[in-house]
Amino acid sequence: VHIVATGSMAALTNAVILQAASLCRDVYAHERDYIVDNSIPGFTIIAVEGTSSAGDWLTNIKFLFRNDDTHRGFKENALRLVNQLFMREQIDFKTQLVVCGHSLGGATATVLADMLRQGAGRNVCVITLGSPRPGGRRLRKRLADLTHMRYVHSDDVVPLSPLWLGGYVHTHEAIRLADANGDKWFDGVSDHDAGAYCTALALALAA
């Protein structure tokens, strides 16, 4: 069993991690750009839609900071999602909140968790797949005590953006996943696929 726990947080078991990864993949086909899942007792998983194409993502980066040392686009997405969640959904803050996302959704999930912690305290954690860097060093310092499972699949190129030379950093160390595509050569685009992340993660947790 893969367990990460801090303070009074519930343990993140394999089932929770795999469910979060599946939701990160399935949210692309969902009618809304997020999914709220309560299928595992004691957990509320919020999956945020991202970008399915690494090529599209890399050509549409906005290298601008706004409030709280956070990428402008990620901050705007997170603020919009907060409004939707509280208007449309019943979020039980007594459960363990798991905010997750793939690609752009991963960076947005990180910023969203930062916002939700104002109401839920330490009862929030994050799982991201192929997330770009969400902000600067002040954001990283603010989230230092946040449990964040940051997965990177093989040669995925998206986690290398935006460039660190612009002051962008990841908030947590990467958890590397072995190549699930069987590629012999570098392929940072196919390695970014959400389905490939699900396969690689399932193999890693079963090992």
Side-chain angles (χ1 to χ4, degrees):
V1 177
H2 193 80
I3 296 177
V4 176
T6 61
S8 60
M9 285 175 44
L12 293 184
T13 62
N14 287 2
V16 174
I17 295 171
L18 291 174
Q19 178 68 359
S22 295
L23 292 170
C24 289
R25 176 197 61 205
D26 297 344
V27 70
Y28 286 106
H30 198 261
E31 60 182 12
R32 295 177 180 169
D33 54 1
Y34 68 88
I35 295 176
V36 177
D37 179 83
N38 301 108
S39 62
I40 300 178
F43 291 87
T44 298
I45 304 176
I46 303 172
V48 180
E49 185 176 358
T51 48
S52 57
S53 169
D56 288 347
W57 161 243
L58 291 172
T59 59
N60 287 284
I61 293 172
K62 300 177 182 178
F63 294 100
L64 293 174
F65 284 157
R66 282 296 176 103
N67 296 331
D68 299 322
D69 201 23
T70 304
H71 184 286
R72 183 182 72 178
F74 306 153
K75 186 79 170 183
E76 290 173 352
N77 281 344
L79 284 169
R80 178 178 52 79
L81 280 168
V82 163
N83 291 332
Q84 292 185 31
L85 287 169
F86 284 98
M87 287 177 61
R88 298 177 177 176
E89 308 291 340
Q90 295 269 339
I91 305 297
D92 185 359
F93 282 95
K94 294 180 181 179
T95 61
Q96 173 66 60
L97 300 184
V98 180
V99 190
C100 60
H102 165 257
S103 192
L104 168 66
T108 300
T110 303
V111 179
L112 179 60
D114 185 33
M115 296 177 179
L116 291 175
R117 292 211 312 171
Q118 298 177 27
R122 293 173 60 86
N123 200 37
V124 180
C125 60
V126 177
I127 297 173
T128 59
L129 313 177
S131 172
R133 299 179 176 108
R137 289 173 175 79
R138 291 198 305 275
L139 177 66
R140 179 170 64 186
K141 183 177 180 180
R142 191 162 65 249
L143 298 181
D145 64 343
L146 175 75
T147 295
H148 183 170
M149 311 293 290
R150 185 174 77 83
Y151 291 102
V152 176
H153 175 226
S154 191
D155 297 318
D156 186 358
V157 295
V158 171
L160 301 178
S161 63
L163 295 176
W164 64 269
L165 289 173
Y168 288 88
V169 296
H170 283 291
T171 61
H172 294 74
E173 292 297 319
I175 302 171
R176 296 282 174 179
L177 298 173
D179 196 332
N181 294 322
D183 300 328
K184 295 182 179 180
W185 306 103
F186 174 87
D187 192 348
V189 175
S190 66
D191 286 343
H192 185 63
D193 179 71
Y197 265 93
C198 289
T199 301
L201 189 52
L203 290 171
L205 295 181

